[in-house]
Amino acid sequence: MSEPKGYLDMELLRFTTAGSVDDGKSTLIGRLLYDSKAIFEDQMELLEETSKQRGEEGVNLALLTDGLRSEREQGITIDVAYRYFATPKRKFIIADTPGHIQYTRNMVTGASTANLALLLVDARHGVIEQTKRHAFIASLLQIPHIAVCINKMDLVDHSEEAYNKIKANFENFSSKLEIKDVHFIPISALNGDNVVDRSAKMNWYEGSTLMHLLENIHIGSDHNHVDCRFPVQYVIRPQSAEHPDYRGYAGRVEGGVFKPGDDVTVLPSGFKSKIKSIDTFDGGVEEAFSPMSVCMTLEDDIDISRGDMLVRENNKPTIEQDVDVMICWMNDKSMIPRGKYTIRHTSQTARCIIKEVKYKMDINTLHRNEDDLEIGLNDIGRITIRTTKPLFFDSYRRNRNTGSIILINEATNETVAAGMII
Amino acid sequence: MSSYNLTHLKDLESEAIFILREVAAQFEKPVMLFSGGKDSIIMFHLARKAFHPGKIPFPLMHIDTGHNFTETIEFRDGLIKETGETLIVKYVQDSIDKGTAVEETGVNASRNGLQTVTLLESLEEGKYDCAMGGARRDEEKARAKERFFSHRDEFGQWDPKNQRPELWNIFNGRKKIGEHFRIFPISNWTEMDVWQYILYEKIELPSLYFSHKREVVNRNGVLLGKCNYIQIKDSEQWEERTIRCRTIGDMTCTGLSESDAGTIEEIIEEVASTRVTERGGRADDKRSEAAMEDRKKEGYF
């Protein structure tokens, strides 16, 4: 694009932060927001006033991230909160999640849409159980990039040894996980060292500051541009005088690149056709890739509806009714063995039965427990389900969009689980 | 930058279009709330994009307090005429006449809160199972925790502690009879994104958003525009200022900002350098720290 103004050409980075107040997470987020001028005067005044009312010294930046009154009263964060800031290079969306073990479901929620996970480690305490848990969830959710911020460096005399020791510890632990791209940054969120500006007190550190990393990390390859997947979301049929016979398949590209003229196969019917046009309000496009929302028309008149998927004949997803899933349980009521749930996957809805629980994961030790198979709130486990109709899926590792599912309790309609297809 | 990469505006646009299509697919009778403000104008624009070349498969609905800026109503009617889409107008006055809503009294009287009554009555009467709104998470901190798909019970209430988890881009719009959803397609947009998108897409807006001269009264630091619905105290007086609206709502609670910004480019510069939040001027949010949270629980937008 050759827009005259830089801000029309910015990228969007979604990241998630996990940690407790003690890690300095709120201070760090407060600093990122403050230094990028995303905190306003009236918000600051309100913070000062509230901090004073609560008898706290100085301004408590944690109050900025605690949105609901019940949270402020209890001094805890109970839900995922979304925050926004921008620099001249990028726009950022933070999914800020509480770090306690009972909030695994929130971390998973925040991680599900993130390009990057920001993990905080207290330099005095090093890699603790919570760090391992967060790293595990980041790897489970296949967050493409991880930034490990070793915070409170000011409390360990900005020591390179302390930093190296924590880095080695983390690497030792994470070698057991599937983490693709990890960066370590020694910071002091309180003093702003290596957050936006380079620290003069840690000249031994030659890497980038946190902000520099957030602004420059390459996210162009985070989407799958190889396997063509187009789940049909909605059929557009204007039946108007202007467009009497128009039949367009609206949806978002969830993988690969589609072009007019491409041969496509429709699942589940198996009918083949050719893409006639890829339409948008602003006219036809020559290419559509993830995560573009478009509307496709085909050369042939075939019956296609929501839940169908356009793919390439020589690169089809797995088409199966028995699906192996890593599941994170998100509801107070435990999973019912052999229970029936509604499953949502891309634009498909089906019913499924829990056929088998293979193991439950101890997320602190990574131990696979095959004896206690009750999957309750915040538990993570591997299960097999059987669906009422075939799903068209890829492994979550290969494609986060076509490899993810949710389960819904049919009596309460609540979303009870998030699943990653193995 | 790789060529297979969207700009942040295109990314947000694609996300919003996805949500709008999801609404059309998952609900039987959705309706889009339309106030005539920039956020609802953007949402309307995105809906036209989502269903092009078809028409938008749901109507718009304006909950009219009767205390609008004339410019808003003229703009609204012009937009509907030009695009041929469907608009339903519901009046707070009707709820007052029926006795289900009671007009506030006193010098700060506003019909803003009464909109909730009319909204819930209209949703029930029209049997709408989903109402889309242009609320954004960056506006206010209770909104920072709002879902895209926000479930409401049969009283229209929001239970912030019991929200459904929302993962990836899989949305769960299942509900029982009598319950409904509020859906916010532009949740992830910031005020700046909205303005940049308006510029990029060349979207027309009511003239109120641009700098003009108007008679105002300064009440506790909030500038309110002169109209018949605002009574001034003896200590107050109308004075002419050069202002523009950062948000547009009911005239009794829409704070005006002093500004010389007459073009979208100038507004973007102003937004970039401003140090007060968009809702900082809204008298309705100033009532208490948890004002928005309380109103939302009751069923406000």
Side-chain angles (χ1 to χ4, degrees):
Chain A
M1 294 182 81
S2 56
E3 294 295 334
K5 294 270 165 72
Y7 52 71
L8 295 176
D9 205 8
M10 274 163 42
E11 283 178 322
L12 179 59
L13 177 82
R14 298 170 197 247
F15 69 97
T16 181
T17 56
S20 60
V21 180
D22 313 332
D23 292 331
K25 183 188 65 157
S26 301
T27 316
L28 179 62
I29 292 179
R31 181 157 289 283
L32 287 172
L33 297 181
Y34 192 78
D35 288 353
S36 62
K37 299 195 172 65
I39 299 181
F40 296 106
E41 272 171 17
D42 52 331
Q43 286 175 310
M44 204 61 188
E45 275 168 27
L46 198 60
L47 279 188
E48 281 167 12
E49 214 172 279
T50 314
S51 303
K52 212 184 287 172
Q53 268 174 21
R54 292 165 48 125
E56 291 173 15
E57 273 179 48
V59 177
N60 183 349
L61 283 173
L63 294 173
L64 189 77
T65 54
D66 296 339
L68 305 170
R69 175 156 53 190
S70 34
E71 293 176 331
R72 287 196 297 276
E73 283 164 358
Q74 296 166 38
I76 52 151
T77 315
I78 54 173
D79 209 301
V80 186
Y82 295 88
R83 328 246 152 237
Y84 304 83
F85 70 98
T87 67
K89 284 195 170 161
R90 271 186 182 162
K91 178 202 157 128
F92 300 93
I93 301 180
I94 315 177
D96 179 20
T97 68
H100 317 281
I101 189 158
Q102 59 267 45
Y103 296 121
T104 297
R105 74 167 212 170
N106 291 329
M107 269 187 276
V108 169
T109 304
S112 73
T113 51
N115 306 90
L116 179 143
L118 203 156
L119 303 187
L120 272 158
V121 177
D122 187 322
R124 295 169 303 171
H125 306 134
V127 175
I128 55 172
E129 269 194 3
Q130 179 169 282
T131 321
K132 294 181 181 174
R133 197 160 66 235
H134 296 167
F136 171 68
I137 290 172
S139 84
L140 183 72
L141 272 290
Q142 293 279 300
I143 301 179
H145 315 280
I146 292 186
V148 181
C149 290
I150 299 165
N151 190 24
K152 305 196 185 176
M153 286 301 290
D154 49 315
L155 299 182
V156 294
D157 296 329
H158 305 100
S159 147
E160 185 178 6
E161 284 76 21
Y163 165 81
N164 281 335
K165 198 176 145 208
I166 293 169
K167 182 168 180 253
N169 266 341
F170 187 92
E171 282 170 332
N172 181 36
F173 169 77
S174 67
S175 61
K176 287 175 261 172
L177 303 172
E178 278 184 69
I179 292 179
K180 295 173 198 160
D181 178 35
V182 56
H183 302 259
F184 296 89
I185 309 168
I187 65 166
S188 163
L190 194 67
N191 302 327
D193 288 298
N194 287 337
V195 177
V196 175
D197 299 314
R198 188 152 265 295
S199 170
K201 298 176 195 115
M202 291 178 270
N203 287 324
W204 47 266
Y205 173 70
E206 288 171 351
S208 52
T209 63
L210 175 61
M211 187 64 99
H212 187 267
L213 180 76
L214 293 174
E215 282 186 324
N216 294 290
I217 198 159
H218 177 70
I219 52 174
S221 315
D222 292 358
H223 288 281
N224 177 321
H225 294 312
V226 178
D227 312 302
C228 290
R229 306 285 182 258
F230 186 76
V232 174
Q233 199 187 353
Y234 187 80
V235 181
I236 295 177
R237 294 190 65 191
Q239 294 174 305
S240 60
E242 208 184 327
H243 305 279
D245 302 316
Y246 187 91
R247 193 181 174 92
Y249 306 105
R252 200 175 45 181
V253 180
E254 302 293 16
V257 181
F258 289 86
K259 299 185 177 87
D262 281 354
D263 292 317
V264 287
T265 299
V266 185
L267 299 178
S269 69
F271 287 129
K272 297 185 181 67
S273 186
K274 219 182 248 303
I275 298 176
K276 189 173 170 187
S277 64
I278 303 176
D279 300 337
T280 73
F281 184 81
D282 306 297
V285 293
E286 287 309 308
E287 285 182 319
F289 51 89
S290 182
M292 282 171 72
S293 286
V294 295
C295 183
M296 296 199 195
T297 61
L298 301 182
E299 293 288 356
D300 305 278
D301 225 356
I302 30 187
D303 183 29
I304 299 177
S305 52
R306 177 175 166 89
D308 292 358
M309 191 186 273
L310 305 187
V311 300
R312 305 278 258 164
E313 178 61 24
N314 57 3
N315 177 355
K316 286 186 191 162
T318 309
I319 304 168
E320 270 284 358
Q321 277 176 270
D322 294 298
V323 190
D324 270 6
V325 183
M326 278 298 273
I327 207 131
C328 173
W329 201 256
M330 306 196 144
N331 199 265
D332 296 330
K333 286 185 215 82
S334 296
M335 184 174 80
I336 303 163
R338 311 277 319 158
K340 295 187 179 81
Y341 295 92
T342 290
I343 180 170
R344 284 240 157 108
H345 169 251
T346 65
S347 54
Q348 275 237 55
T349 303
R351 296 184 73 212
C352 73
I353 182 165
I354 312 291
K355 267 177 59 181
E356 190 193 351
V357 181
K358 295 215 159 109
Y359 57 80
K360 184 157 88 175
M361 197 80 173
D362 181 326
I363 56 174
N364 292 320
T365 61
L366 303 188
H367 174 70
R368 295 173 177 186
N369 189 339
E370 293 176 18
D371 302 321
D372 170 17
L373 295 177
E374 187 187 322
I375 307 273
L377 180 64
N378 293 310
D379 283 342
I380 289 169
R382 181 167 169 171
I383 63 169
T384 306
I385 55 174
R386 181 167 178 85
T387 55
T388 47
K389 55 182 175 185
L391 302 184
F392 327 123
F393 61 87
D394 297 284
S395 72
Y396 185 78
R397 196 179 290 119
R398 179 124 187 121
N399 188 327
R400 289 170 94 188
N401 303 324
T402 53
S404 48
I405 58 134
I406 61 168
L407 296 184
I408 298 168
N409 178 318
E410 298 182 337
T412 64
N413 293 326
E414 289 168 307
T415 302
V416 292
M420 284 121 309
I421 299 173
I422 292 166
Chain B
M1 205 195 289
S2 138
S3 61
Y4 292 137
N5 221 2
L6 298 181
T7 65
H8 79 293
L9 291 178
K10 281 289 174 191
D11 197 317
L12 291 170
E13 177 190 74
S14 176
E15 177 180 82
I17 289 175
F18 180 81
I19 304 277
L20 289 159
R21 288 170 173 172
E22 212 48 28
V23 167
Q26 288 198 29
F27 293 92
E28 275 170 39
K29 211 177 168 195
V31 64
M32 177 175 273
L33 301 176
F34 186 85
S35 70
K38 67 182 188 312
D39 298 324
S40 55
I41 292 169
I42 288 256
M43 196 169 51
F44 175 63
H45 182 77
L46 290 163
R48 292 184 68 208
K49 286 197 161 194
F51 302 103
H52 174 83
K55 277 211 181 299
I56 302 177
F58 40 76
L60 306 184
M61 185 162 79
H62 184 203
I63 304 297
D64 189 338
T65 62
H67 294 172
N68 295 293
F69 292 94
T70 4
E71 292 90 335
T72 314
I73 301 301
E74 280 169 10
F75 182 88
R76 176 195 77 187
D77 294 343
L79 191 65
I80 294 303
K81 201 171 162 204
E82 185 197 316
T83 57
E85 301 290 349
T86 312
L87 172 79
I88 299 163
V89 185
K90 293 288 177 183
Y91 298 95
V92 170
Q93 186 64 49
D94 291 343
S95 303
I96 293 171
D97 293 345
K98 258 195 295 184
T100 47
V102 180
E103 190 103 66
E104 290 182 8
T105 54
V107 63
N108 288 320
S110 167
R111 286 181 168 187
N112 191 56
L114 304 186
Q115 286 181 93
T116 306
V117 176
T118 311
L119 169 67
L120 293 175
E121 285 175 355
S122 309
L123 293 180
E124 207 167 303
E125 180 195 299
K127 296 199 168 52
Y128 296 108
D129 57 353
C130 159
M132 283 160 275
R136 309 189 322 264
R137 287 174 181 151
D138 80 318
E139 278 181 85
E140 206 278 335
K141 52 186 184 174
R143 284 191 166 157
K145 307 207 164 175
E146 182 73 89
R147 301 291 191 261
F148 279 98
F149 273 46
S150 181
H151 178 253
R152 301 302 161 103
D153 65 14
E154 62 263 62
F155 297 101
Q157 299 182 108
W158 182 55
D159 180 1
K161 281 201 260 184
N162 201 16
Q163 300 193 79
R164 291 181 185 175
E166 213 159 69
L167 296 125
W168 298 288
N169 298 297
I170 311 179
F171 296 98
N172 172 6
R174 284 177 57 129
K175 65 199 172 314
K176 295 182 179 140
I177 292 167
E179 297 177 344
H180 74 275
F181 270 80
R182 298 290 172 82
I183 290 177
F184 306 103
I186 60 166
S187 288
N188 274 335
W189 297 50
T190 62
E191 183 184 19
M192 184 55 115
D193 298 328
V194 167
W195 283 109
Q196 290 174 354
Y197 190 71
I198 288 167
L199 178 66
Y200 183 76
E201 292 281 312
K202 302 182 178 68
I203 296 169
E204 300 244 352
L205 289 182
S207 56
L208 291 164
Y209 282 111
F210 303 97
S211 178
H212 59 282
K213 287 197 163 57
R214 186 178 287 266
E215 278 197 86
V216 299
V217 61
N218 182 340
R219 182 169 292 168
N220 306 326
V222 178
L223 298 181
L224 298 168
K226 186 172 184 177
C227 61
N228 295 333
Y229 322 117
I230 298 176
Q231 313 289 324
I232 58 168
K233 303 175 201 164
D234 293 341
S235 56
E236 294 171 333
Q237 55 183 5
W238 296 111
E239 52 192 313
E240 192 181 80
R241 301 274 190 94
T242 303
I243 55 97
R244 67 174 202 89
C245 293
R246 269 182 90 185
T247 67
I248 294 182
D250 185 283
M251 284 194 80
T252 58
C253 66
T254 301
L256 309 168
S257 320
E258 288 195 79
S259 168
D260 293 320
T263 64
I264 293 165
E265 284 89 342
E266 285 167 3
I267 291 173
I268 287 174
E269 258 173 52
E270 189 185 278
V271 171
S273 60
T274 190
R275 303 300 301 140
V276 181
T277 57
E278 200 177 354
R279 297 194 75 94
R282 291 284 286 240
D284 45 340
D285 287 344
K286 288 213 166 171
R287 291 186 175 188
S288 89
E289 200 201 348
M292 174 65 93
E293 185 178 343
D294 291 341
R295 277 182 295 141
K296 278 181 68 68
K297 279 183 184 165
E298 286 160 15
Y300 187 72
F301 308 133

